[in-house]
Amino acid sequence: MSDAIIIDGKAIADGYLSKIKEEVSRLPTRPCLAMVLVGDNPASLLYVRYKKKYAEDLGITSFLYMLPTETKEEELIHLVEDLNNNPQVDGILVQLPLPDHISEFKIISTIRPDKDVDGFTKENIGLLALKQDCLVPCTPLGCIKLLKSVKDDISGLNAVVIGRSNIVGRPLAQLLLNENCTVTLSHSHTQNLPDLCLSADILAVAVGKPGLVKGNWIKPGAIVLDVGISYLPDKSIKGDVDFEEAIKVAQAITPVPKGVGPMTKAMLMHNTVKAYKRRRNFIEDKK
Ligand code: NAP
C-alpha cells in the first residue's frame, strides 16, 4: 500500500480563514471576541496570543484580559458577567485550564450560551446532543471538516474515538454520531484498545500520550485524526499516533503539528462570526 494522504490542516484552515476574512469585510460592524486568561501558564499564554493575532488578521476586534493566578472565583464570575452584558462583545473565551481554586464548570456555566464560542456550556453541549444548531466545540468541529476533506460521506463507517474529555473526545463522538457513523468512545479503562482500533474506519485520538497508537493498531485504509499535542524535552511536538508507522497503513492522516491545531483556531473564528450573526438575526450560513 502506498503512503497515506497527509491531511494539510494548515492549508485547509487557511482556506477557511480567507473565507471568514472576506465575510467579516462585508459585515456592517466588526465582530468582537473577548478572551480571558488567568495565571501565567506559558502554553495558555501562547494559545491566547495566537488566537488574538488570528482574530485581528481577520478584522475581528479582540480583547485579552490577563488576570493573576490569585484571582478569586467571584472576581472571574463578575468579569464574565460584565462581558455577557456588554453588547459590543459577541464571543467570550475563558482559556482553560483555570487555577485549581476556580471551578471550570462554574465559570463556563456563567458564559452566556449565545456568546460561548468554545461551545463548552451545558446549553450548547445539550443542543449538540439533540442534533440542533449550536456553537460547536472548535477542535471537534475542525476534526469533522478535516475528515470531510478526505471523504464527504462518512455515514455508516465505524468510528473509534480515544479520549473522552468534555472539550474533544465527547463532542467529537457526538458529531460523528450525528454524521451517522457507528461510534465507540474509548478511554483509559477500555479493554483491548489495539483490537478496538483495528475495527475503526475512522480513528480519532485525543489523549495526550505521544506515540500511543502504533501502526499495527490501524486498520488498513483507515482515516486517522491525531488531536494529541505533546511537547517533548527536545522541544519537538508529537501527536498521539506513531506517524511514521501510521502513514504506511492509513488512507489519510493528520500530522502533528499542522494538522488539527490550525483548524481549532480557524473554527474559533468561525464560531465568533457565527455568534455575531446569530445575535443580530442574520440568515444562518449552515456551512
Ligand atoms: P484530557 O482531558 O487529559 O483527556 C484525555 C483522555 O485520554 C481521557 O479521557 C483519558 O481517559 C484518556 N486516556 C488517557 N490515557 C489513555 C490510554 N492509555 N488509553 C486510552 N485512553 C486514555 O485531554 P484533552 O483535553 O482531551 O486533550 C487530549 C490531547 O489533545 C492533549 O494532547 C491536548 O494537548 C490535545 N489537544 C489538542 C487540540 C488541538 O487543537 N490540536 C485541542 C485540544 C486538545 P479517562 O477519561 O479514563 O481518564
Side-chain angles (χ1 to χ4, degrees):
M1 192 170 197
S2 57
D3 278 1
I5 298 165
I6 296 170
I7 303 171
D8 189 343
K10 169 84 172 62
I12 296 170
D14 284 348
Y16 276 100
L17 291 170
S18 60
K19 279 192 202 136
I20 297 168
K21 185 172 186 168
E22 213 266 314
E23 188 176 7
V24 170
S25 72
R26 285 188 274 109
L27 296 173
T29 53
R30 287 163 72 109
C32 173
L33 172 64
M35 290 181 283
V36 183
L37 174 67
V38 186
D40 52 9
N41 178 320
S44 295
L45 186 60
L46 194 70
Y47 290 149
V48 288
R49 285 201 172 133
Y50 266 127
K51 290 169 187 171
K52 193 167 191 320
K53 187 186 168 323
Y54 267 62
E56 280 161 8
D57 286 351
L58 300 188
I60 294 172
T61 302
S62 70
F63 296 105
L64 174 56
Y65 296 83
M66 293 176 69
L67 308 179
T69 310
E70 323 70 76
T71 302
K72 293 197 178 81
E73 191 174 83
E74 309 84 79
E75 290 173 314
L76 184 54
I77 287 176
H78 281 137
L79 172 59
V80 173
E81 284 171 347
D82 283 349
L83 296 171
N84 281 344
N85 296 329
N86 183 339
Q88 201 203 337
V89 172
D90 298 295
I92 302 170
L93 178 154
V94 178
Q95 184 66 40
L96 303 180
L98 290 168
D100 289 345
H101 65 280
I102 300 178
S103 156
E104 288 186 354
F105 181 74
K106 254 193 206 170
I107 299 304
I108 290 167
S109 299
T110 306
I111 299 173
R112 262 175 67 153
D114 64 345
K115 296 190 179 189
D116 167 31
V117 285
D118 262 335
F120 292 164
T121 57
K122 52 190 181 300
E123 290 81 2
N124 280 313
I125 293 290
L127 288 167
L128 179 64
L130 294 170
K131 213 178 167 187
Q132 297 298 309
D133 182 48
C134 61
L135 291 164
V136 177
C138 303
T139 302
L141 181 59
C143 285
I144 296 293
K145 302 225 184 253
L146 291 174
L147 197 50
K148 293 204 154 196
S149 74
V150 180
K151 193 168 173 58
D152 191 44
D153 183 7
I154 55 174
S155 166
L157 297 184
N158 284 339
V160 171
V161 179
I162 316 181
R164 57 175 166 178
S165 71
N166 291 342
I167 63 172
V168 189
R170 281 171 203 259
L172 179 54
Q174 196 65 61
L175 284 170
L176 288 163
L177 183 62
N178 291 351
E179 293 288 338
N180 299 320
C181 291
T182 303
V183 183
T184 308
L185 181 53
S186 66
H187 44 77
S188 67
H189 299 262
T190 298
Q191 293 178 5
N192 299 327
L193 190 57
D195 283 347
L196 180 66
C197 291
L198 273 170
S199 71
D201 303 305
I202 297 165
L203 179 61
V205 196
V207 173
K209 294 206 165 147
L212 172 78
V213 172
K214 313 293 174 215
N216 62 6
W217 295 24
I218 297 169
K219 178 177 174 177
I223 303 173
V224 180
L225 301 168
D226 189 353
V227 182
I229 300 177
S230 297
Y231 296 90
L232 301 190
D234 67 1
K235 305 238 187 302
S236 63
I237 300 175
K238 210 162 185 309
D240 288 340
V241 178
D242 186 322
F243 184 78
E244 296 309 323
E245 289 184 12
I247 51 169
K248 298 192 183 101
V249 193
Q251 178 199 150
I253 181 168
T254 58
V256 179
K258 298 190 178 170
V260 175
M263 279 303 275
T264 296
K265 295 178 203 93
M267 293 304 107
L268 174 65
M269 302 304 134
H270 165 90
N271 277 353
T272 303
V273 175
K274 178 169 176 163
Y276 169 100
K277 292 196 299 183
R278 287 165 110 217
R279 292 182 60 242
R280 289 165 179 77
N281 295 321
F282 279 49
I283 292 172
E284 196 67 62
D285 178 359
K286 294 278 177 202
K287 275 185 267 173

